[in-house]
């Protein structure tokens, strides 16, 4: 009896994994076909649309990196009379506020919002809400303090809003400190798979690309309708993505709008960042699954992909579970394991790494980017995946414990930035 | 007359080249088929499944990238040969392990078998991409 139950469970779990693999295979195929059709670089569409823009930069103890971003803000080619930059000094204990103030004195379009220890330090959503209230732009863009955008990135992001139905736009982060060590190289690979293929495919297939909370923006009207970011969410970006779609707004991805980010460079920092992402994503999953299912504004394919996206951080847990069940069945001598199902477990171990892109997706993404050597590290992504198993399992247990204890407070684990990316910026 | 003769000669040469190319493709396909057959007959069904997974991903994705068909067929055949040898070596290792440790080793081998195979598939896949010419207009992303 137990064996039969385990066999049914194993079939169900591998079924879910096969669905995810097919999804990624379709994404990869779609991006390849598109690249063949359009050429590698998407032709730029010119527009005269130039609305007023506010750039929000939440920063907490970012003295090592904030100057790089502020300097880039000064160099932006977007008309300065239509641009407003608000730095949110979120209860920093270092010189972040002073550096930002120095820029604000020299440049009229830069403002600094200082938040003291009483009101600040409650997470990114809280900081963004505070700045949003005092912002004036029709379009709001967000950049994390460790980012270094292209000089014409505002134009590239903003032109997507020319379509009145577009509520949210996402650009592409590229790892700046990739050569630093093996962790930054693996993160770069994950980013390639996640953005060059996954996001682009979702955009071109008419699905919903995901807003990443940085290198992107949203329409002022949308956030006003929503009453600001939900501060109880750890991933306010994913929450905004689904809220926007459920309100009937479109979410767009534009790969041309590249911005260079400083990737985490230690396993400890990787754990903290991914744990926050996993926990936040699971919160959003619990919040929006039902809404996605019953929404009349989403097509069937959008609903299916939306549900798969919402549940993606459960996949390392499911893969681990299917592995444990599979091994138990092998030991019990089940004939089921002679089938192709067992192989799908193994393939899945390479299918949910980092930003949840399989090796073939990462490889094709790197190829399309013209990267000739970085994909040699693809076999090492297995270690990143193995590391993600305890991260996602812990995030799941934390969420379950919080639900049981009815605890609503989130501990915001901020990613610290070393400023090592500065040395990779070409002068 | 001379240009006509030359044109006819070049046409014949092109036809021969084309026939030759198909013959070469045929040889490589035969190598792939033989690898599948050998793995099924002399190693295990599992190894044939892994070769099929590799062939499916390779043909459906890598064949769409830049580069001549010859190069892609060479890589495909090479991948199959490597996969066949990889599986053959590990099957010998498994036979030795079972003889020494008993049937417990057979369970262990069943568990690790797909993962061992993924090591060569992912590695070969990654290396193959480097053997193909870069797409036009793509360059290393520079800050």
């Amino acid at each position: 009896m137990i064996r039969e139950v385990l066999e049914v469970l194993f079939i169900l779990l591998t079924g879910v994994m096969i669905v995810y693999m097919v999804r990624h295979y379709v994404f990869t195929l779609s991006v390849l076909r598109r690249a063949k059709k359009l050429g590698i670089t998407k032709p730029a569409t010119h527009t005269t649309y130039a609305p007023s823009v506010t750039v929000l930069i939440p920063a907490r103890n970012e003295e090592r990196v904030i100057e790089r971003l502020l300097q880039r803000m000064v160099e932006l080619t977007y008309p300065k009379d239509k641009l407003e930059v608000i730095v949110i000094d979120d209860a920093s204990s270092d010189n972040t506020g002073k550096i930002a103030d120095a820029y604000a004195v020299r440049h009229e379009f830069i403002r600094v919002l200082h938040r003291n220890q009483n009101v600040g330090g409650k997470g990114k959503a809280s900081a963004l809400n505070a700045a949003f209230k005092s912002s004036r732009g029709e379009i709001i863009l967000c950049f994390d303090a460790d980012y270094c955008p292209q000089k014409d990135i505002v134009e590239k992001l903003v032109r997507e809003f020319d379509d009145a139905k577009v509520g949210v736009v996402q650009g592409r982060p590229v790892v700046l400190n990739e050569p630093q060590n093996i962790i930054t190289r693996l993160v770069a690979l994950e980013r390639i798979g996640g953005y060059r293929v996954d996001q682009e495919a979702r955009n071109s297939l008419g699905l919903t690309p995901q807003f990443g909370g940085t290198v992107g923006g949203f329409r002022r009207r949308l956030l006003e309708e929503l009453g600001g970011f939900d501060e109880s969410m750890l991933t306010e970006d994913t929450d905004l993505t689904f809220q926007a779609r459920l309100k009937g707004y479109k979410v767009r991805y534009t790969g041309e709008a590249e911005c260079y980010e400083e990737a985490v460079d230690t396993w400890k920092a990787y754990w903290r960042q991914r744990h926050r992402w996993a926990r936040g994503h699971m919160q959003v999953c619990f919040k929006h699954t039902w809404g996605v299912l019953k929404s009349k504004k989403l097509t069937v394919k959008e609903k299916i992909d939306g549900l798969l996206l919402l549940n993606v951080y459960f996949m390392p847990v499911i893969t681990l579970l299917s592995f444990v069940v599979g091994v138990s069945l092998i030991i019990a001598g089940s004939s089921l394991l002679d089938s192709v199902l067992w192989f799908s477990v193994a393939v899945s171990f390479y299918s949910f790494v980092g930003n949840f892109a399989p090796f073939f997706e990462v490889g094709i993404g790197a190829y399309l980017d013209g990267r000739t050597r970085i994909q040699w590290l693809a076999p090492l992504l297995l270690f990143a995946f193995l590391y993600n198993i305890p991260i996602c399992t812990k995030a799941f247990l934390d969420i379950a414990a919080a639900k049981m204890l009815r605890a609503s407070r989130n501990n915001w684990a901020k990613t610290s930035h070393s400023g090592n990316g500065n040395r990779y910026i070409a002068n | 007359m001379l240009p006509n003769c030359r044109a006819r000669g070049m046409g014949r040469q092109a036809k021969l080249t084309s026939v030759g190319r198909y013959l070469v493709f045929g040889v490589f396909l035969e190598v792939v088929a033989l690898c599948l057959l050998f793995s099924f007959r002399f190693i295990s069904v599992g190894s044939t499944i892994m070769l099929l997974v590799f062939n499916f991903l390779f043909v459906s994705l890598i064949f769409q990238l830049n580069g001549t068909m010859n190069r892609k067929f060479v890589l495909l055949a090479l991948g199959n040969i490597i996969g066949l040898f990889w599986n053959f070596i590990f099957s010998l290792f498994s036979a030795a392990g079972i003889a020494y440790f008993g049937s417990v080793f057979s369970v262990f081998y069943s568990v690790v078998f797909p993962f061992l195979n993924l090591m060569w598939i992912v590695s070969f896949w990654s290396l193959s991409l480097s053997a193909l010419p870069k797409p036009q207009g793509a360059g290393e992303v520079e800050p």
Side-chain angles (χ1 to χ4, degrees):
Chain A
M1 178 64 187
I2 294 173
R3 199 165 95 177
E4 279 78 21
V5 172
L6 284 178
E7 283 183 345
V8 171
L9 180 63
F10 186 70
I11 290 169
L12 283 174
L13 293 172
T14 43
V16 173
M17 292 191 301
I18 289 168
V19 168
Y20 271 95
M21 278 195 295
V22 170
R23 174 178 180 252
H24 286 289
Y25 178 74
V26 171
F27 284 176
T28 312
L29 215 52
S30 137
V31 167
L32 265 179
R33 296 241 163 106
R34 199 174 143 78
K36 244 180 160 181
K37 211 167 136 187
L38 296 178
I40 295 304
T41 44
K42 190 181 157 192
T45 47
H46 293 286
T47 170
T48 51
Y49 181 63
S52 58
V53 174
T54 296
V55 177
L56 302 182
I57 305 171
R60 180 175 162 83
N61 297 333
E62 301 284 12
E63 66 177 2
R64 291 175 182 160
V65 289
I66 189 81
E67 193 162 5
R68 182 177 73 202
L69 176 59
L70 288 172
Q71 184 54 40
R72 188 43 63 95
M73 287 294 122
V74 173
E75 293 163 0
L76 288 177
T77 53
Y78 201 72
K80 296 291 186 295
D81 57 323
K82 290 185 175 176
L83 187 67
E84 173 191 47
V85 175
I86 304 179
V87 181
I88 309 135
D89 170 25
D90 199 24
S92 299
S93 55
D94 65 0
N95 288 322
T96 304
K98 282 179 192 163
I99 297 168
D101 281 336
Y103 269 84
V105 167
R106 276 181 278 152
H107 305 281
E108 211 177 300
F109 67 99
I110 298 179
R111 284 198 287 134
V112 187
L113 178 69
H114 294 282
R115 303 182 86 209
N116 61 29
Q117 295 289 344
N118 295 329
V119 289
K122 289 176 184 161
K124 191 173 164 185
S126 165
L128 290 174
N129 277 339
F132 179 69
K133 281 175 197 157
S134 64
S135 66
R136 294 187 290 262
E138 189 187 326
I139 302 297
I140 313 289
L141 302 181
C142 301
F143 289 103
D144 284 351
D146 61 308
Y147 278 62
C148 183
Q150 293 168 321
K151 289 173 186 169
D152 56 349
I153 197 162
V154 177
E155 288 90 330
K156 286 175 177 171
L157 288 170
V158 157
R159 71 171 164 237
E160 298 288 332
F161 288 104
D162 201 6
D163 177 354
K165 287 178 186 166
V166 172
V168 183
V169 170
Q170 174 63 41
R172 180 182 175 188
V174 177
V175 173
L176 180 62
N177 55 333
E178 184 192 307
Q180 193 181 328
N181 60 32
I182 191 71
I183 302 165
T184 54
R185 284 177 199 272
L186 291 180
V187 172
L189 267 180
E190 291 173 9
R191 289 301 217 189
I192 288 171
Y195 281 87
R196 182 65 182 88
V197 181
D198 207 281
Q199 291 269 50
E200 194 158 320
R202 269 189 265 161
N203 192 53
S204 60
L205 291 171
L207 304 171
T208 307
Q210 193 183 341
F211 176 52
T214 180
V215 202
F218 45 86
R219 212 175 272 282
R220 168 174 216 90
R221 198 177 67 220
L222 166 67
L223 207 64
E224 280 172 350
E225 278 177 39
L226 298 174
F229 284 105
D230 183 346
E231 293 182 20
S232 67
M233 293 286 123
L234 277 171
T235 47
E236 78 297 331
D237 40 13
T238 313
D239 183 48
L240 181 70
T241 307
F242 282 92
Q243 293 219 63
R245 271 316 280 133
L246 294 174
K247 282 263 178 201
Y249 285 97
K250 286 181 191 169
V251 181
R252 284 274 168 271
Y253 168 73
T254 173
E256 293 178 284
E258 287 178 356
C259 184
Y260 307 96
E261 65 165 336
E262 193 172 296
V264 288
D265 52 6
T266 62
W267 285 115
K268 195 179 169 189
Y270 185 97
W271 176 289
R272 282 164 66 91
Q273 187 186 50
R274 299 307 155 105
H275 181 264
R276 176 162 49 81
W277 290 359
R279 202 175 157 180
H281 215 97
M282 287 172 186
Q283 282 179 327
V284 177
C285 175
F286 289 123
K287 184 180 169 185
H288 290 299
T289 298
W290 182 238
V292 168
L293 275 172
K294 66 173 187 181
S295 171
K296 286 179 182 161
K297 288 180 172 141
L298 301 176
T299 59
V300 175
K301 68 176 183 180
E302 276 183 290
K303 284 185 185 187
I304 294 170
D305 186 64
L307 290 175
L308 291 172
L309 179 62
L310 280 171
N311 286 283
V312 79
Y313 276 90
F314 289 109
M315 286 317 293
V317 185
I318 287 177
T319 311
L320 175 68
L321 197 60
S322 63
F323 182 72
V324 172
V325 174
V327 171
S328 313
L329 286 172
I330 286 179
I331 292 168
S334 169
S335 59
L336 185 73
L337 271 300
D338 291 337
S339 70
V340 76
L341 286 180
W342 175 240
F343 295 96
S344 66
V345 176
V347 176
S348 298
F349 265 82
Y350 278 99
S351 298
F352 306 108
V353 288
N355 272 4
F356 304 95
F359 70 91
F360 52 84
E361 193 172 313
V362 170
I364 294 294
Y367 173 82
L368 292 176
D369 267 352
R371 312 297 306 274
T372 46
R373 285 172 60 185
I374 192 171
Q375 67 263 42
W376 294 357
L377 296 176
L380 298 182
L381 282 171
L382 179 64
F383 296 107
F385 174 76
L386 292 174
Y387 198 52
N388 269 288
I389 290 177
I391 293 173
C392 294
T393 308
K394 186 174 181 298
F396 176 62
L397 294 175
D398 286 348
I399 291 260
K403 289 250 174 223
M404 279 192 281
L405 299 170
R406 292 171 193 276
S408 59
R409 196 172 176 278
N410 290 318
N411 287 323
W412 180 265
K414 190 196 159 297
T415 308
S416 55
H417 299 114
S418 59
N420 284 330
N422 293 338
R423 75 177 98 133
Y424 301 104
I425 296 177
N427 289 316
Chain B
M1 286 300 283
L2 198 61
N4 276 346
C5 285
R6 191 183 289 168
R8 230 179 293 149
M10 280 170 76
R12 203 177 297 140
Q13 198 181 345
K15 202 175 171 185
L16 276 174
T17 314
S18 164
V19 170
R21 204 186 307 144
Y22 283 119
L23 274 174
V24 172
F25 293 166
V27 170
F28 288 129
L29 282 176
E30 202 173 341
V31 171
V32 173
L34 280 173
C35 286
L36 288 169
L37 197 69
F38 281 168
S39 69
F40 182 73
R41 181 72 184 83
F42 300 109
I43 307 174
S44 65
V45 186
S47 57
T48 316
I49 291 176
M50 293 322 279
L51 283 180
L52 283 171
V53 168
F54 169 77
N55 287 336
F56 172 72
L57 288 175
F58 202 94
V59 172
S60 65
L61 297 174
I62 289 194
F63 268 50
Q64 295 197 44
L65 305 180
N66 285 356
T68 59
M69 285 303 270
N70 272 346
R71 192 181 292 198
K72 289 169 191 168
F73 270 111
V74 169
L75 288 170
L76 179 69
L78 194 62
N80 277 270
I81 292 166
I82 289 172
L84 183 73
F85 275 95
W86 182 279
N87 278 295
F88 183 65
I89 289 164
F90 275 105
S91 72
L92 294 179
F93 172 69
S94 141
I98 291 167
Y100 193 77
F101 297 106
S103 59
V104 180
F105 193 84
S106 160
V107 173
F108 169 75
Y109 184 68
S110 303
V111 173
V112 297
F113 175 74
F115 298 97
L116 287 173
N117 268 282
L118 273 170
M119 291 314 290
W120 77 262
I121 292 181
V122 179
S123 307
F124 189 81
W125 168 274
S126 312
L127 289 170
S128 303
L129 288 170
S130 309
L132 297 172
K134 271 188 191 183
Q136 264 187 338
E140 298 274 333
V141 181
E142 293 289 351

